């Protein structure tokens, strides 16, 4: 049945002229179930003001919540409410080997007239057994809580439906380190042994709780987030490299004002721009090829992790030939909101 659906999608894309000129070597996937394929415990803890009122399994929260439980906002009509905090699943991010391959859409391939570089691992020579890697990435709007009309009012949930927001295949900066400097010129300051060694502390902090926001150039145990592109000079395994690409891609979209933060007192009335992303405002959960949904996915009983946490404890068995070489993640964003029953 899924193969037949993909066949119909491919025909429809060819009629609209979106069928890709680029034919990937392999593109497999499956449509995610919004009920069973989401780590729902990741929305916890829920807070009112700075006090936790709901948590199961000691879910983590590193963000400072506003201390007062009461708030007011002044949009078109002013209103008063309670300050609540939770982690909202708002995005799905794909990290893929083949251009225009969308595993979240059932393994659909689509594209345009461009010919972006193939991704995946590339061993350079016998003296470099680890090799480098390069992946394409896709950013989907996926506000499942709003779609399912769950938890809170529309004021505290991102509205809209599932939509494709950004693909790296058409971005010339994604495959070129020199062009990327237009977006992240500060990368030159963090490409030295001292700043790279500092990421060891970030790795330890992220593995115990959340990474250190002061070390914003670090992705914990995965390395450094610079440059903001898909070139990784050392391949660390599919899942670990995909986690690094996910962090880089999210930071890149923050820099381009295409992603917004929603935590703290500044986010009570609406999300806001954050060009230098606070990495402690996100948690991630693998949704493809094997969704992290249960307490057996990690020794600590959690099915999501902050940026930079070691993959040793949860990534075992998540990468395998063919179907398990592309990855998709659910991105949970910390949200503080002024909640009111009045609409």
């Amino acid at each position: 049945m899924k193969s037949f659906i993909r066949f119909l999608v491919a025909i429809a894309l060819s009629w609209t002229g979106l069928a890709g000129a680029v034919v990937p070597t392999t593109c497999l996937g499956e449509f995610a179930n919004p009920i069973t394929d989401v780590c729902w415990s990741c929305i916890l803890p829920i807070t009112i003001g700075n006090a936790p009122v709901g948590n199961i399994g000691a879910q983590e929260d590193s963000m400072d919540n506003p201390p007062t439980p009461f708030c007011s906002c002044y949009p078109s009509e002013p209103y008063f409410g309670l300050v609540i905090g939770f982690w909202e699943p708002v995005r799905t991010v794909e990290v893929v080997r083949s251009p225009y391959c969308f595993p979240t859409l059932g393994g659909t391939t689509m594209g345009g007239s461009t010919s972006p570089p193939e991704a995946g691992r590339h061993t350079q020579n016998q003296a470099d057994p680890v090799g480098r890697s390069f992946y394409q990435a896709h950013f989907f709007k996926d506000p499942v809580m709003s779609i399912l009309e769950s938890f809170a009012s529309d004021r505290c949930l991102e509205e809209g439906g599932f939509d494709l927001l950004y693909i790296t295949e058409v971005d010339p900066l994604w495959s070129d380190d020199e062009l990327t400097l237009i977006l992240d010129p500060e990368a030159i300051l963090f490409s030295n042994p001292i700043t790279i060694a500092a990421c060891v502390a970030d790795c330890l902090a992220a593995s115990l709780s959340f990474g250190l926001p002061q070390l914003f150039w670090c992705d914990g145990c995965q390395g450094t987030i610079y440059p903001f592109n898909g070139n990784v000079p050392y391949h660390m395994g599919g899942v670990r490299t995909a986690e690094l690409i996910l962090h880089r891609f999210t930071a890149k979209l923050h820099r381009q004002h295409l992603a917004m933060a929603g935590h703290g007192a500044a986010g009570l009335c609406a999300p806001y721009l954050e060009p230098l992303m606070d990495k402690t405002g996100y948690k991630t959960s693998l949704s493809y090829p094997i969704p992290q949904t249960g307490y057996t996915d990690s020794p600590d009983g959690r099915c999501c992790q902050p940026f930079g946490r070691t993959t040793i404890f949860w990534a075992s068995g998540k990468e395998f030939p063919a179907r398990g070489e592309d990855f998709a993640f659910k991105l949970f964003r910390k949200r503080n909101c002024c909640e009111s029953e009045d609409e």
Side-chain angles (χ1 to χ4, degrees), residues 21-38:
V22 179
V23 180
T25 54
T26 304
C27 185
L28 300 171
E30 60 184 62
F31 294 97
N33 186 314
I35 305 296
T36 62
D37 292 345
V38 176

PDB file of all heavy atoms in Angstrom, residues 21-38:
ATOM      1  N   ALA A  21      15.289  16.037 -11.567  1.00  0.00           N
ATOM      2  CA  ALA A  21      16.258  15.583 -12.543  1.00  0.00           C
ATOM      3  C   ALA A  21      17.341  14.768 -11.869  1.00  0.00           C
ATOM      4  O   ALA A  21      18.065  14.041 -12.504  1.00  0.00           O
ATOM      5  CB  ALA A  21      16.872  16.783 -13.250  1.00  0.00           C
ATOM      6  N   VAL A  22      17.451  14.937 -10.529  1.00  0.00           N
ATOM      7  CA  VAL A  22      18.432  14.189  -9.759  1.00  0.00           C
ATOM      8  C   VAL A  22      17.793  12.900  -9.259  1.00  0.00           C
ATOM      9  O   VAL A  22      16.787  12.927  -8.567  1.00  0.00           O
ATOM     10  CB  VAL A  22      18.928  15.014  -8.558  1.00  0.00           C
ATOM     11  CG1 VAL A  22      19.924  14.214  -7.742  1.00  0.00           C
ATOM     12  CG2 VAL A  22      19.553  16.313  -9.057  1.00  0.00           C
ATOM     13  N   VAL A  23      18.355  11.774  -9.610  1.00  0.00           N
ATOM     14  CA  VAL A  23      17.819  10.479  -9.189  1.00  0.00           C
ATOM     15  C   VAL A  23      18.732   9.918  -8.108  1.00  0.00           C
ATOM     16  O   VAL A  23      19.884   9.583  -8.373  1.00  0.00           O
ATOM     17  CB  VAL A  23      17.723   9.499 -10.372  1.00  0.00           C
ATOM     18  CG1 VAL A  23      17.176   8.162  -9.908  1.00  0.00           C
ATOM     19  CG2 VAL A  23      16.851  10.087 -11.466  1.00  0.00           C
ATOM     20  N   PRO A  24      18.296   9.826  -6.855  1.00  0.00           N
ATOM     21  CA  PRO A  24      19.167   9.355  -5.790  1.00  0.00           C
ATOM     22  C   PRO A  24      19.428   7.872  -5.901  1.00  0.00           C
ATOM     23  O   PRO A  24      18.666   7.130  -6.518  1.00  0.00           O
ATOM     24  CB  PRO A  24      18.366   9.682  -4.526  1.00  0.00           C
ATOM     25  CG  PRO A  24      16.944   9.619  -4.962  1.00  0.00           C
ATOM     26  CD  PRO A  24      16.933  10.116  -6.378  1.00  0.00           C
ATOM     27  N   THR A  25      20.535   7.445  -5.312  1.00  0.00           N
ATOM     28  CA  THR A  25      20.861   6.035  -5.348  1.00  0.00           C
ATOM     29  C   THR A  25      19.844   5.221  -4.562  1.00  0.00           C
ATOM     30  O   THR A  25      19.443   4.146  -4.977  1.00  0.00           O
ATOM     31  CB  THR A  25      22.264   5.822  -4.761  1.00  0.00           C
ATOM     32  OG1 THR A  25      22.302   6.420  -3.455  1.00  0.00           O
ATOM     33  CG2 THR A  25      23.318   6.498  -5.635  1.00  0.00           C
ATOM     34  N   THR A  26      19.435   5.715  -3.425  1.00  0.00           N
ATOM     35  CA  THR A  26      18.454   5.026  -2.596  1.00  0.00           C
ATOM     36  C   THR A  26      17.616   6.061  -1.878  1.00  0.00           C
ATOM     37  O   THR A  26      18.152   7.012  -1.324  1.00  0.00           O
ATOM     38  CB  THR A  26      19.142   4.125  -1.548  1.00  0.00           C
ATOM     39  OG1 THR A  26      20.016   3.212  -2.202  1.00  0.00           O
ATOM     40  CG2 THR A  26      18.109   3.351  -0.763  1.00  0.00           C
ATOM     41  N   CYS A  27      16.305   5.880  -1.878  1.00  0.00           N
ATOM     42  CA  CYS A  27      15.441   6.753  -1.096  1.00  0.00           C
ATOM     43  C   CYS A  27      14.313   5.916  -0.536  1.00  0.00           C
ATOM     44  O   CYS A  27      13.391   5.522  -1.257  1.00  0.00           O
ATOM     45  CB  CYS A  27      14.890   7.898  -1.951  1.00  0.00           C
ATOM     46  SG  CYS A  27      13.919   9.097  -0.983  1.00  0.00           S
ATOM     47  N   LEU A  28      14.418   5.619   0.737  1.00  0.00           N
ATOM     48  CA  LEU A  28      13.409   4.829   1.416  1.00  0.00           C
ATOM     49  C   LEU A  28      12.877   5.643   2.581  1.00  0.00           C
ATOM     50  O   LEU A  28      13.490   6.602   3.037  1.00  0.00           O
ATOM     51  CB  LEU A  28      14.005   3.514   1.924  1.00  0.00           C
ATOM     52  CG  LEU A  28      14.608   2.587   0.860  1.00  0.00           C
ATOM     53  CD1 LEU A  28      15.340   1.441   1.524  1.00  0.00           C
ATOM     54  CD2 LEU A  28      13.540   2.075  -0.080  1.00  0.00           C
ATOM     55  N   GLY A  29      11.725   5.264   3.072  1.00  0.00           N
ATOM     56  CA  GLY A  29      11.150   5.980   4.204  1.00  0.00           C
ATOM     57  C   GLY A  29       9.751   5.502   4.490  1.00  0.00           C
ATOM     58  O   GLY A  29       9.262   4.544   3.874  1.00  0.00           O
ATOM     59  N   GLU A  30       9.086   6.171   5.415  1.00  0.00           N
ATOM     60  CA  GLU A  30       7.709   5.860   5.738  1.00  0.00           C
ATOM     61  C   GLU A  30       7.047   7.067   6.372  1.00  0.00           C
ATOM     62  O   GLU A  30       7.716   7.919   6.980  1.00  0.00           O
ATOM     63  CB  GLU A  30       7.607   4.654   6.665  1.00  0.00           C
ATOM     64  CG  GLU A  30       8.313   4.809   7.987  1.00  0.00           C
ATOM     65  CD  GLU A  30       8.247   3.546   8.826  1.00  0.00           C
ATOM     66  OE1 GLU A  30       8.781   2.511   8.380  1.00  0.00           O
ATOM     67  OE2 GLU A  30       7.654   3.603   9.909  1.00  0.00           O
ATOM     68  N   PHE A  31       5.739   7.159   6.197  1.00  0.00           N
ATOM     69  CA  PHE A  31       4.994   8.266   6.774  1.00  0.00           C
ATOM     70  C   PHE A  31       4.901   8.081   8.284  1.00  0.00           C
ATOM     71  O   PHE A  31       4.567   6.997   8.763  1.00  0.00           O
ATOM     72  CB  PHE A  31       3.586   8.342   6.165  1.00  0.00           C
ATOM     73  CG  PHE A  31       3.589   8.694   4.697  1.00  0.00           C
ATOM     74  CD1 PHE A  31       3.499   7.703   3.735  1.00  0.00           C
ATOM     75  CD2 PHE A  31       3.689  10.004   4.287  1.00  0.00           C
ATOM     76  CE1 PHE A  31       3.515   8.014   2.389  1.00  0.00           C
ATOM     77  CE2 PHE A  31       3.696  10.335   2.948  1.00  0.00           C
ATOM     78  CZ  PHE A  31       3.609   9.338   1.985  1.00  0.00           C
ATOM     79  N   ALA A  32       5.212   9.132   9.028  1.00  0.00           N
ATOM     80  CA  ALA A  32       5.194   9.045  10.484  1.00  0.00           C
ATOM     81  C   ALA A  32       3.768   9.081  11.015  1.00  0.00           C
ATOM     82  O   ALA A  32       2.904   9.774  10.479  1.00  0.00           O
ATOM     83  CB  ALA A  32       6.000  10.195  11.091  1.00  0.00           C
ATOM     84  N   ASN A  33       3.529   8.313  12.058  1.00  0.00           N
ATOM     85  CA  ASN A  33       2.248   8.335  12.752  1.00  0.00           C
ATOM     86  C   ASN A  33       2.312   9.424  13.820  1.00  0.00           C
ATOM     87  O   ASN A  33       3.147   9.347  14.727  1.00  0.00           O
ATOM     88  CB  ASN A  33       1.970   6.974  13.404  1.00  0.00           C
ATOM     89  CG  ASN A  33       0.589   6.888  14.010  1.00  0.00           C
ATOM     90  OD1 ASN A  33       0.141   7.789  14.700  1.00  0.00           O
ATOM     91  ND2 ASN A  33      -0.088   5.777  13.753  1.00  0.00           N
ATOM     92  N   PRO A  34       1.468  10.467  13.745  1.00  0.00           N
ATOM     93  CA  PRO A  34       1.572  11.571  14.702  1.00  0.00           C
ATOM     94  C   PRO A  34       1.220  11.176  16.134  1.00  0.00           C
ATOM     95  O   PRO A  34       1.479  11.954  17.058  1.00  0.00           O
ATOM     96  CB  PRO A  34       0.578  12.598  14.156  1.00  0.00           C
ATOM     97  CG  PRO A  34      -0.409  11.797  13.379  1.00  0.00           C
ATOM     98  CD  PRO A  34       0.378  10.667  12.781  1.00  0.00           C
ATOM     99  N   ILE A  35       0.639   9.996  16.330  1.00  0.00           N
ATOM    100  CA  ILE A  35       0.285   9.542  17.676  1.00  0.00           C
ATOM    101  C   ILE A  35       1.370   8.648  18.259  1.00  0.00           C
ATOM    102  O   ILE A  35       1.876   8.885  19.357  1.00  0.00           O
ATOM    103  CB  ILE A  35      -1.063   8.790  17.662  1.00  0.00           C
ATOM    104  CG1 ILE A  35      -2.171   9.656  17.048  1.00  0.00           C
ATOM    105  CG2 ILE A  35      -1.423   8.360  19.075  1.00  0.00           C
ATOM    106  CD1 ILE A  35      -2.477  10.910  17.838  1.00  0.00           C
ATOM    107  N   THR A  36       1.759   7.625  17.517  1.00  0.00           N
ATOM    108  CA  THR A  36       2.653   6.610  18.062  1.00  0.00           C
ATOM    109  C   THR A  36       4.130   6.876  17.811  1.00  0.00           C
ATOM    110  O   THR A  36       4.979   6.271  18.465  1.00  0.00           O
ATOM    111  CB  THR A  36       2.294   5.228  17.489  1.00  0.00           C
ATOM    112  OG1 THR A  36       2.465   5.256  16.050  1.00  0.00           O
ATOM    113  CG2 THR A  36       0.857   4.875  17.807  1.00  0.00           C
ATOM    114  N   ASP A  37       4.470   7.752  16.880  1.00  0.00           N
ATOM    115  CA  ASP A  37       5.868   7.982  16.520  1.00  0.00           C
ATOM    116  C   ASP A  37       6.435   9.268  17.115  1.00  0.00           C
ATOM    117  O   ASP A  37       7.438   9.789  16.636  1.00  0.00           O
ATOM    118  CB  ASP A  37       6.031   8.012  14.995  1.00  0.00           C
ATOM    119  CG  ASP A  37       5.791   6.643  14.365  1.00  0.00           C
ATOM    120  OD1 ASP A  37       5.786   5.648  15.106  1.00  0.00           O
ATOM    121  OD2 ASP A  37       5.612   6.576  13.137  1.00  0.00           O
ATOM    122  N   VAL A  38       5.796   9.795  18.141  1.00  0.00           N
ATOM    123  CA  VAL A  38       6.259  11.007  18.812  1.00  0.00           C
ATOM    124  C   VAL A  38       6.576  10.676  20.262  1.00  0.00           C
ATOM    125  O   VAL A  38       5.816   9.975  20.935  1.00  0.00           O
ATOM    126  CB  VAL A  38       5.189  12.128  18.747  1.00  0.00           C
ATOM    127  CG1 VAL A  38       5.657  13.348  19.538  1.00  0.00           C
ATOM    128  CG2 VAL A  38       4.900  12.511  17.300  1.00  0.00           C
TER     129      VAL A  38
END
